[in-house]
Amino acid sequence: MNVNRIILRYLSTGIRKHHSLEAKQQVLVANLFGFIGYSLTLLLGISAYTRAETVLATVLLVASVLFFTSHLILHVKCLANPYKYSAILLTSSLMILMVYLVYSGGNNNTGPLWIYLVPPVALFFGGLIRGSIQLAIFILITSFLLFYNQGELLIAEYSYEFKSRLIYSFITVSGLFAFYEYTRQYSFRRFKEMSDTFEKQAMQDPLTNILNRRGMYEKLQQEFSRSKRAKSVVTVMMCDIDHFKSINDQFGHNTGDEIIQSFAADFVSALRKQDVVARWGGEEYLFLLPDTKGKDALLLAEKLRKRIEDMKFTHENKDFVATVSIGVHQVTEEDSINQAISKADKCLYEAKVAGRNRCILA
């Protein structure tokens, strides 16, 4: 269990709370690839030293240091997205190392066989477009080294058949990985779009297209935390349609739904951008008014009440009006979210008892 925890903690190095799912994946892969990279190059470098291949050993050990540095970058807290710098260092270090292995041949001319690591790394960290550009540059540089004046620039010697098949197979593998990256990104975008849609649906009332109770509760949590940090005032209002059961009984549920929709649209049009209204229950609405004192919220409540009172509805050629009652409460430092809502609801109850179609401030 402790070993699993250590591995997970290592792979999670650099993950921040604000990171998206894709960013978290890149951090995990950067840590994993960095670990494999510096471990493998360290072992190969030591092995090269034992064979007295000093230059190759030095290059491999330098590469090991660079791969390890890519992991250290993820520890830097002053960088907003350290994984991006880590990914750049990983990709560039890998490509430079691969170019050198093609140039030198590595151990017994087996160095070029490692270049197939480049496509997945470049495309995963760079994305389809930037990764493809990086691969194209890598192919041009490698092809130039291999074929310029029959390999005059190379230390190692390769047959023409080996060089041509190496490039052809590398291009083929790069194309396959590019197609995979395209499908991966497309699937990820579709998944995110569907996730955002479902999340929006989960927080939105389908009848009025305003927030539902769940969505409003999240807004309340955010605003209460912000107001406490900024020491600013916030007011909540609870609104209820008067005699709504009688409206449904007399005019039908379709008319009742029409009234709920019309009131919601009117409320939204009358509020400021920072204000929020949600359908809290069947015919109840909850208002969240940041940076608003109770007395100012009461003025708004009266304005909304009069707007509603002036609205006309028609059912079977018969005009009628519907009214609302509103309870207003300015949140105190001691109030929790539920306590604030309860106090606004208590004011709403007092407005109902006092005759409805009125607003009461706590």
Side-chain angles (χ1 to χ4, degrees):
M1 181 63 69
N2 290 332
V3 174
N4 292 337
R5 191 178 295 116
I6 292 172
I7 293 174
L8 182 61
R9 184 180 302 172
Y10 179 89
L11 294 177
S12 301
T13 302
I15 291 180
R16 309 287 173 82
K17 290 182 178 180
H18 67 274
H19 282 165
S20 64
L21 177 62
E22 189 170 16
K24 291 177 180 179
Q25 288 178 343
Q26 288 206 344
V27 172
L28 289 172
V29 175
N31 281 313
L32 178 61
F33 183 80
F35 174 77
I36 295 173
Y38 68 71
S39 301
L40 187 59
T41 49
L42 177 63
L43 293 175
L44 292 175
I46 294 174
S47 176
Y49 261 122
T50 60
R51 298 192 305 270
E53 297 175 344
T54 307
V55 176
L56 176 61
T58 302
V59 171
L60 289 170
L61 293 177
V62 169
S64 179
V65 171
L66 291 175
F67 288 140
F68 185 72
T69 303
S70 70
H71 172 71
L72 295 179
I73 290 175
L74 295 171
H75 288 272
V76 180
K77 295 183 178 180
C78 62
L79 297 175
N81 295 305
Y83 72 92
K84 292 184 178 181
Y85 299 95
S86 176
I88 291 172
L89 182 57
L90 276 173
T91 306
S92 57
S93 299
L94 177 65
M95 286 187 170
I96 292 172
L97 176 61
M98 294 303 106
V99 169
Y100 174 76
L101 291 178
V102 170
Y103 163 77
S104 64
N107 182 24
N108 294 325
N109 283 4
T110 59
L113 300 178
W114 292 96
I115 68 172
Y116 297 101
L117 292 172
V118 174
V121 173
L123 290 166
F124 181 81
F125 289 123
L128 181 62
I129 297 176
R130 191 172 66 181
S132 297
I133 294 173
Q134 291 172 340
L135 285 175
I137 294 172
F138 179 80
I139 292 171
L140 289 174
I141 293 174
T142 306
S143 299
F144 180 76
L145 285 175
L146 289 172
F147 296 106
Y148 177 77
N149 201 13
Q150 298 182 351
E152 182 182 349
L153 300 177
L154 299 173
I155 295 177
E157 293 185 3
Y158 310 108
S159 67
Y160 177 82
E161 290 75 17
F162 174 83
K163 293 188 291 185
S164 59
R165 282 160 178 72
L166 179 70
I167 293 298
Y168 294 154
S169 60
F170 183 83
I171 293 174
T172 302
V173 170
S174 297
L176 291 173
F177 272 107
F179 178 73
Y180 167 77
E181 181 62 20
Y182 169 78
T183 56
R184 188 189 72 85
Q185 290 186 5
Y186 176 79
S187 299
F188 186 85
R189 285 196 301 269
R190 289 289 297 153
F191 172 78
K192 189 175 185 307
E193 289 171 1
M194 293 174 61
S195 178
D196 292 343
T197 299
F198 291 144
E199 182 69 20
K200 184 178 180 180
Q201 290 175 347
M203 296 183 134
Q204 192 176 63
D205 176 57
L207 179 64
T208 60
N209 291 325
I210 61 176
L211 292 178
N212 59 16
R213 183 185 288 255
R214 176 184 172 185
M216 182 55 133
Y217 208 89
E218 184 173 304
K219 291 288 185 182
L220 286 164
Q221 290 176 320
Q222 294 172 357
E223 183 54 37
F224 271 53
S225 298
R226 188 201 68 82
S227 64
K228 287 182 180 179
R229 291 194 305 270
K231 295 183 178 180
S232 59
V233 295
V234 59
T235 298
V236 293
M237 303 194 311
M238 184 70 79
C239 171
D240 183 76
I241 302 175
D242 297 327
H243 302 294
F244 188 72
K245 185 178 184 303
S246 298
I247 293 174
N248 275 336
D249 292 341
Q250 186 175 357
F251 303 109
H253 288 278
N254 288 338
T255 302
D257 288 346
E258 180 186 343
I259 291 173
I260 291 174
Q261 288 174 316
S262 299
F263 285 5
D266 194 68
F267 291 152
V268 171
S269 66
L271 297 178
R272 304 170 299 177
K273 288 184 178 180
Q274 64 266 39
D275 300 331
V276 185
V277 60
R279 187 181 178 194
W280 194 247
E283 68 274 14
E284 284 186 330
Y285 304 88
L286 181 64
F287 294 79
L288 173 62
L289 308 174
D291 301 313
T292 305
K293 294 181 179 179
K295 60 181 182 179
D296 296 323
L298 182 62
L299 294 175
L300 172 64
E302 279 293 334
K303 174 185 173 183
L304 294 175
R305 185 191 65 78
K306 291 177 181 178
R307 285 169 63 112
I308 295 301
E309 191 178 33
D310 292 337
M311 295 176 68
K312 296 289 190 297
F313 295 93
T314 302
H315 178 75
E316 296 181 352
N317 299 321
K318 182 180 178 180
D319 293 338
F320 68 95
V321 296
T323 61
V324 295
S325 300
I326 303 176
V328 184
H329 172 65
Q330 179 179 319
V331 180
T332 65
E333 292 183 2
E334 294 78 20
D335 284 340
S336 67
I337 293 176
N338 291 333
Q339 287 172 335
I341 295 173
S342 178
K343 290 178 181 179
D345 195 46
K346 182 179 178 182
C347 293
L348 170 63
Y349 176 76
E350 293 175 4
K352 294 281 190 181
V353 172
R356 294 181 172 82
N357 191 23
R358 65 193 63 213
C359 308
I360 290 184
L361 171 66

